[in-house]
């Protein structure tokens, strides 16, 4: 996909990778979902990857309102077969509570198993109460090399809507706010190597610049020495 700002993308009936190597932004303008995958029919896709986009200001269905549901990214997929959903090098920014109840919603209720990968993603300036909305707890989620920068006042109850525990979730090489600790996560979460609780030191987040300072704890501390998040170094040392 070429550089530019898009209102949203909708895909069904395909096994596909949608990616950009340019500065492509999908803007929900606080009224629409940024990405809709599948259409709730037997012709929905079986595997999907989205890579490289900035997803911003997405809205759920019926939001704001009494029946606000679903997330900025909505997977509505009713095939009865194992599924794979891959999210790489994405920037989830500027989502607001009351406009969308979650960032990634997955309704694939006829499926016995699904694998979800979040890799080298940056979540910043989002006031949502949920990272995921999952219709089924039977899932394997892996989060790695990512920056999950969420408001300090939110706890990790936002991961699921009505379940008492998490799906099998493995988190490694990722950074959370300094207010978090190993005890902040619910049952079902396994913490692997290099899970940090620090300020990621974005260069200028107030102006929408989520590149990393030279002294960011995310630089070179990801898997195999990679940077965490979807951006590299964009400025010099920031004194704290």
């Amino acid at each position: 996909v070429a550089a530019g700002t898009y209102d949203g993308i909708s895909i069904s009936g395909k096994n596909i990778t949608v990616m950009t190597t340019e500065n492509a932004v999908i803007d929900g303008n606080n009224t629409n979902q940024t990405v809709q995958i599948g259409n709730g029919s037997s012709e929905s896709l079986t595997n999907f990857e989205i890579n490289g986009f900035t997803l911003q200001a997405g809205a759920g269905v019926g939001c704001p309102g009494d029946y606000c549901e679903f997330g900025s990214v909505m997977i509505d997929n009713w095939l009865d077969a194992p599924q794979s959903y891959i999210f790489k090098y994405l920037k989830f920014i500027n989502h607001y509570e009351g406009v969308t109840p979650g960032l990634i919603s997955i309704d694939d209720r006829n499926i016995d198993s699904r694998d979800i990968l979040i890799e080298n993603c940056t979540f910043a300036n989002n006031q949502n109460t949920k990272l995921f909305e999952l219709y089924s707890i039977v899932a394997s989620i892996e989060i790695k090399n990512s920056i999950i920068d969420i408001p300090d006042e939110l706890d990790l109850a936002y991961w699921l809507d009505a379940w008492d525990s998490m799906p099998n979730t493995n988190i490694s090489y990722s950074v959370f706010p300094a207010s978090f600790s190993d005890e902040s996560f619910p049952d079902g979460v396994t913490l692997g190597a290099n899970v940090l609780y620090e300020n990621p030191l974005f260069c200028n987040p107030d102006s929408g610049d989520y590149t990393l300072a030279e002294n960011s704890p995310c630089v070179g501390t990801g898997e195999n020495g990679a940077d965490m998040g979807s951006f590299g170094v964009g400025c010099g040392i920031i004194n704290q």
Side-chain angles (χ1 to χ4, degrees):
V1 176
T5 299
Y6 301 86
D7 292 334
I9 59 174
S10 179
I11 298 169
S12 63
K14 298 179 183 295
N15 301 327
I16 193 170
T17 296
V18 180
M19 67 181 299
T20 179
T21 57
E22 308 288 342
N23 184 24
V25 177
I26 303 177
D27 191 345
N29 293 301
N30 292 316
T31 57
N32 300 303
Q33 292 172 316
T34 55
V35 179
Q36 185 176 20
I37 304 168
N39 58 9
S41 76
S42 60
E43 297 179 353
S44 299
L45 76 169
T46 54
N47 296 286
F48 179 80
E49 177 178 338
I50 183 167
N51 188 319
F53 293 87
T54 295
L55 307 179
Q56 67 182 30
V61 176
C63 307
D66 294 337
Y67 298 100
C68 178
E69 60 182 351
F70 306 129
S72 176
V73 174
M74 176 62 193
I75 297 173
D76 188 17
N77 188 23
W78 288 18
L79 280 179
D80 186 11
Q83 307 294 297
S84 174
Y85 308 119
I86 299 173
F87 304 88
K88 287 186 175 182
Y89 292 97
L90 299 176
K91 288 75 73 176
F92 288 80
I93 60 173
N94 303 339
H95 292 84
Y96 299 103
E97 191 171 8
V99 178
T100 175
L103 293 176
I104 300 172
S105 295
I106 300 177
D107 183 353
D108 54 2
R109 63 189 72 184
N110 295 331
I111 297 167
D112 291 332
S113 65
R114 73 273 304 139
D115 295 320
I116 303 167
L117 173 63
I118 307 287
E119 184 175 355
N120 281 101
C121 291
T122 296
F123 297 82
N125 195 35
N126 299 300
Q127 283 77 51
N128 300 82
T129 56
K130 301 178 182 68
L131 179 59
F132 291 109
E133 277 195 318
L134 303 182
Y135 206 92
S136 173
I137 199 171
V138 184
S140 175
I141 301 172
E142 182 177 9
I143 300 173
K144 64 180 180 179
N145 286 357
S146 293
I147 300 172
I148 316 290
D149 187 35
I150 61 175
D152 290 346
E153 65 269 17
L154 295 183
D155 61 34
L156 285 183
Y158 75 99
W159 286 70
L160 281 175
D161 190 6
W163 302 99
D164 293 329
S165 61
M166 277 289 291
N168 292 327
T169 302
N170 294 294
I171 303 174
S172 61
Y173 300 100
S174 295
V175 64
F176 288 81
S179 59
F180 284 72
S181 69
D182 288 358
E183 286 69 43
S184 299
F185 299 87
D187 292 342
V189 175
T190 299
L191 299 178
N194 228 26
V195 176
L196 308 177
Y197 309 107
E198 299 186 50
N199 184 337
L201 294 182
F202 296 128
C203 286
N204 193 355
D206 291 340
S207 298
D209 183 356
Y210 295 100
T211 57
L212 303 174
E214 285 184 6
N215 58 327
S216 166
C218 305
V219 174
T221 53
E223 188 175 38
N224 298 321
D227 295 339
M228 296 179 186
S230 50
F231 297 100
V233 173
C235 61
I237 291 172
I238 293 179
N239 295 318
Q240 301 185 66

